[in-house]
Amino acid sequence: MMSFTIAIDGPAAAGKGTLSRMIAAHYGFQHLDTGLTYRAAAKAMLDQGLPLDDEVLAAGFAGKVDLSGLDRSVLSAHGIGEAASKIAVMPAVRRELVEAQRRFAAREPGTVLDGRDIGTVVCPDAPVKLFVTASPEVRARRRFDEIIASGEAADYERIFAEVRQRDERDMNRADSPLKPAADAHLLDTSEMSIEAAFRAARSLIDAALKQE
Ligand code: DC
């Protein structure tokens, strides 16, 4: 039996992480948030006070990322996301991490990978590709609400500016920019609940599973 891979891409804070976890739990598939792999490499460099603009050095850290030791609660810090986005523009870093991600994707019985380039580069043959998006205003508002709910202070205008800046960097880099694969299904969650997005995703996945 071959592994069945579901590729989920989209910009930061579009809801793809939550959706990916729900899909993986529903189908009994293993899930990899590939953003965490970029974050883990960036954090290792930050911890040692190393400059983030040295590609050879960064690729060395990327090659050492252990997929079984990715801790979301540690890696979700905003500063780590910014650092990850900087080293993610480097082709040598991407080569290392993409290789590890492809090995993960082959795990049986199936896998869900989410990120920016899963449908276009990491798993171009995935039988289901979703591109989950939402307007920058909605994404900034969700981030803002999350921070407030966690009891911290937040500034909406600043978060909105950061969302735009991250989009800019992820969409305009030369290597593997964020964009939907030609055969990806678009899910705009701006005015859709996570349950409705999950239902839409399930009907696409169920249809693809029937064809296997
Ligand atoms: O999804 P995230 O915020 O955890 O991702 C952090 C950064 O990692 C993001 O700004 C771009 C990069 N990234 C990437 O280039 N390719 C991926 N497949 C996943 C993340």
Side-chain angles (χ1 to χ4, degrees):
M1 187 187 150
M2 290 258 291
S3 173
F4 186 92
T5 299
I6 301 168
I8 304 184
D9 292 301
K16 64 185 188 308
T18 309
L19 188 62
S20 301
R21 283 190 289 279
M22 290 168 87
I23 292 172
H26 180 78
Y27 291 97
F29 290 176
Q30 297 190 58
H31 171 229
L32 178 64
D33 172 351
T34 61
L36 293 181
T37 66
Y38 289 89
R39 286 171 179 264
K43 178 175 187 299
M45 297 183 78
L46 290 174
D47 284 350
Q48 296 193 25
L50 297 169
L52 294 169
D53 57 0
D54 184 327
E55 182 161 355
V56 175
L57 200 61
F61 280 90
K64 282 190 246 135
V65 169
D66 173 8
L67 298 199
S68 63
L70 302 170
D71 184 343
R72 169 182 315 284
S73 61
V74 173
L75 296 172
S76 65
H78 178 71
I80 299 176
E82 283 297 300
S85 171
K86 286 181 189 149
I87 64 163
V89 304
M90 300 170 172
V93 168
R94 306 199 68 84
R95 266 198 303 278
E96 294 290 344
L97 293 176
V98 166
E99 198 184 301
Q101 292 160 9
R102 285 189 179 139
R103 279 199 302 274
F104 182 94
R107 293 187 189 179
E108 290 177 3
T111 48
V112 180
L113 278 79
D114 75 276
R116 305 290 190 286
D117 61 339
I118 309 304
T120 51
V121 175
V122 181
C123 302
D125 298 328
V128 179
K129 297 178 185 176
L130 304 177
F131 193 85
V132 183
T133 180
S135 70
E137 289 79 7
V138 168
R139 287 184 285 127
R141 170 62 55 185
R142 286 184 190 151
R143 236 326 103 93
F144 174 82
D145 290 344
E146 264 169 33
I147 299 172
I148 297 293
S150 74
E152 284 174 47
D155 172 351
Y156 174 81
E157 290 306 328
R158 201 176 130 198
I159 294 172
F160 180 70
E162 284 165 358
V163 162
R164 297 301 295 254
Q165 199 183 21
R166 180 81 72 85
D167 284 358
E168 179 73 20
R169 202 181 288 139
D170 292 347
M171 290 174 180
N172 294 318
R173 65 176 177 233
D175 188 348
S176 316
L178 169 67
K179 63 167 188 224
D183 53 350
H185 300 278
L186 296 187
L187 271 183
D188 187 332
T189 66
S190 300
E191 292 179 24
M192 203 190 249
S193 67
I194 188 70
E195 288 76 21
F198 182 43
R199 270 198 304 278
R202 257 180 10 229
S203 71
L204 293 166
I205 297 165
D206 288 342
L209 278 167
K210 271 199 200 117
Q211 290 182 8
E212 281 296 292

